[in-house]
Amino acid sequence: MASSTKVWQISDRMSPKISEPTMKAILMVLSALLVVLVDAGPTFLQDVKQYANEALQAYGAPGAVVSVYRRSVSRDTGTFGEPEKECFALGKADVVKNKPMTCDTLLQISSLTKGMTGLLALNAAGLRALDMNGEVRRYFPEFNPHDGLVSNGVSMTDLLSHRTGYGNNDGIWQGPYGTRFGLSRKELLETVQFIPPEVPLRYKFLYNNIMFTAGGQALASGLNRKFKNDMTWAEWAEQKLFVPLGMQKTWAELCRVPAGLYGDFATGYKEGNVATKRISYDTVGPAKSVVSNGQDMLKWIDNYLLEMDTQSEGKILKKMDQKPLLSRAVIPGGQNEYWTEPLINVMYANGMNMEHKYRELFLHHSGHAAGITTEIMYAQTSREHIAIFVAVNQDESDMPLAL
């Protein structure tokens, strides 16, 4: 199906629609970054630090934290070289208090949560707690979507790949200044039965936090049924993701952060260094509620690279369960429609945007909380595996993408 104007909804901005020219520009930047990283020499970490400093000044951001991981791959044997990895911080976490940004500074990583929920879902599928392509109501009977989704058997893959046919319904759970007071996740998901999809199921990529949240609830329900438990999505995420990776300063929801650590948060800023109020996204937790820091995100990107590589094995997925992580579930733009720049195909699956260039694989996702912008990127080539996490305490900043 072709159209004169295509709309992309890849990021997590308050107005997430991205025009085709803007998306082309973004993908050109990402492609260029991939080339720079792959050609990086022995001064890779120094080069990243220098460029990050320059970007911080150029975009006028108060502060930033960057976690970067790189390892070479032998073309002859396929073995990995000694990894280079580091977290470093720049600028201020709080301008008024003159508090420096550090790798221990807490940040809301927002929609980078989606990649975590996607990995947790594949872990649950590997444990036979759910079927990624089976009808989700088999293990989440409380989910009562609109008749069109019920009759077509909406699946976990549909929910986690934004192909349910629902567009941006964030106005249901967002008030003018944050989450609507008192709205529970259960109440939020009950509203979908009254909202018809914009397009048929599996017809088009439409970014939707509510449907992704339903996926998180479904995987928790599946795990509870499998192990005869009564744990929440947040408890499963912390037990099966953060604890195995030693992410001791990462919480699945803002409400789970100890009150004594609230002083460790970075202050978010709008343009002109105007401080913003921290907002809870716990209502749509599986889509965007995780709180973490640079040190823990370094552990996350280290393991995620292992999960991506079918020749290795990470700590979350079994080797036999790694292949679905990179499945091409959605082509943004429409059914059977490939939007391409030279050598680039854009896809989305399991909470991550995916691009292929020859035999190179590039995954990325952005996140936007109140006054905080985040980006995570993975590059897997025949010569190197590279991952970068960037967080900036500037609202809707372009700095992470530039870096």
Side-chain angles (χ1 to χ4, degrees):
M1 183 183 73
S3 61
S4 59
T5 303
K6 299 176 186 175
V7 175
W8 310 100
Q9 294 177 284
I10 301 295
S11 72
D12 183 43
R13 298 178 187 270
M14 294 292 288
S15 300
K17 294 186 178 180
I18 303 176
S19 66
E20 181 177 354
T22 301
M23 178 54 73
K24 288 182 178 180
I26 288 174
L27 291 177
M28 289 179 68
V29 170
L30 293 174
S31 183
L33 174 64
L34 177 59
V35 173
V36 170
L37 294 179
V38 169
D39 291 338
T43 61
F44 172 69
L45 291 177
Q46 291 87 341
D47 289 344
V48 172
K49 288 181 182 179
Q50 179 181 344
Y51 193 77
N53 269 298
E54 294 173 356
L56 188 75
Q57 298 301 318
Y59 287 94
V65 60
V66 180
S67 302
V68 59
Y69 185 101
R70 173 184 180 238
R71 64 187 179 190
S72 61
V73 182
S74 170
R75 290 188 175 185
D76 296 327
T77 64
T79 57
F80 296 117
E82 193 67 24
E84 301 174 76
K85 56 182 178 180
E86 186 174 349
C87 175
F88 61 91
L90 309 166
K92 303 296 182 182
D94 190 294
V95 175
V96 174
K97 297 178 181 178
N98 198 32
K99 185 171 68 175
M101 184 77 79
T102 74
C103 289
D104 293 319
T105 300
L106 296 180
L107 301 133
Q108 292 173 288
I109 67 170
S110 192
S111 270
L112 305 196
T113 301
K114 290 182 173 69
M116 297 175 171
T117 296
L119 196 64
L120 181 58
L122 293 176
N123 172 272
L127 295 170
R128 306 301 181 259
L130 55 84
D131 177 0
M132 293 296 291
N133 296 309
E135 185 176 358
V136 74
R137 296 214 308 170
R138 285 180 10 216
Y139 37 86
F140 187 32
E142 300 87 350
F143 184 50
N144 185 30
H146 191 269
D147 290 345
L149 294 190
V150 174
S151 60
N152 287 295
V154 63
S155 69
M156 277 293 295
T157 300
D158 297 325
L159 295 172
L160 301 186
S161 300
H162 303 297
R163 64 182 197 186
T164 63
Y166 280 94
N168 181 10
N169 301 123
D170 283 348
I172 297 173
W173 63 272
Q174 288 179 340
Y177 305 107
T179 305
R180 293 188 185 278
F181 180 76
L183 181 66
S184 69
R185 192 176 302 162
K186 180 177 181 294
E187 291 169 333
L188 174 66
L189 295 181
E190 286 175 350
T191 65
V192 300
Q193 63 183 303
F194 306 110
I195 307 171
E198 294 183 18
V199 297
L201 181 67
R202 306 185 190 107
Y203 185 77
K204 188 177 183 180
F205 175 93
L206 291 171
Y207 197 91
N208 188 281
N209 284 311
I210 299 176
M211 289 294 103
F212 205 99
T213 299
Q217 292 296 95
L219 73 86
S221 178
L223 286 167
N224 285 334
R225 285 169 173 266
K226 174 73 174 181
F227 297 105
K228 296 179 173 55
N229 215 321
D230 188 27
M231 292 170 58
T232 64
W233 163 82
E235 290 170 330
W236 281 115
E238 292 176 6
Q239 181 185 107
K240 289 194 164 290
L241 299 180
F242 307 150
V243 171
L245 298 180
M247 298 170 68
Q248 298 180 1
K249 290 295 181 69
T250 300
W251 294 268
E253 295 171 338
L254 180 63
C255 67
R256 298 175 68 82
V257 179
L261 296 179
Y262 270 43
D264 295 343
F265 273 93
T267 300
Y269 293 93
K270 295 181 181 179
E271 187 176 355
N273 285 350
V274 177
T276 62
K277 180 181 178 181
R278 190 179 308 118
I279 294 173
S280 172
Y281 300 102
D282 292 354
T283 301
V284 288
K288 58 181 299 177
S289 68
V290 167
V291 172
S292 190
N293 64 21
Q295 291 287 10
D296 276 5
M297 290 305 294
L298 182 59
K299 298 174 183 178
W300 177 263
I301 62 176
D302 178 355
N303 182 76
Y304 203 92
L305 280 175
L306 291 174
E307 306 289 3
M308 288 172 58
D309 181 16
T310 55
Q311 302 304 312
S312 304
E313 187 168 348
K315 296 181 180 180
I316 308 301
L317 301 182
K318 296 180 180 179
K319 199 159 190 168
M320 61 182 293
D321 299 321
Q322 288 175 300
K323 188 175 180 180
L325 179 65
L326 306 179
S327 298
R328 306 180 183 192
V330 163
I331 311 296
Q335 187 181 35
N336 300 323
E337 183 177 343
Y338 286 74
W339 178 76
T340 60
E341 281 296 294
L343 311 179
I344 297 178
N345 284 330
V346 187
M347 291 150 280
Y348 192 103
N350 304 312
M352 294 296 295
N353 301 296
M354 304 169 60
E355 300 171 37
H356 287 263
K357 180 180 179 182
Y358 292 120
R359 295 183 178 179
E360 298 170 352
L361 177 64
F362 190 60
L363 271 63
H364 62 96
H365 210 292
S366 59
H368 300 269
I372 305 292
T373 305
T374 55
E375 186 79 31
I376 200 162
M377 312 176 208
Y378 305 93
Q380 185 185 83
T381 78
S382 60
R383 290 185 292 166
E384 294 176 297
H385 292 180
I386 297 172
I388 295 181
F389 160 77
V390 186
V392 182
N393 56 339
Q394 183 181 59
D395 197 47
E396 299 196 7
S397 175
D398 288 326
M399 181 197 159
L401 191 58
L403 180 58

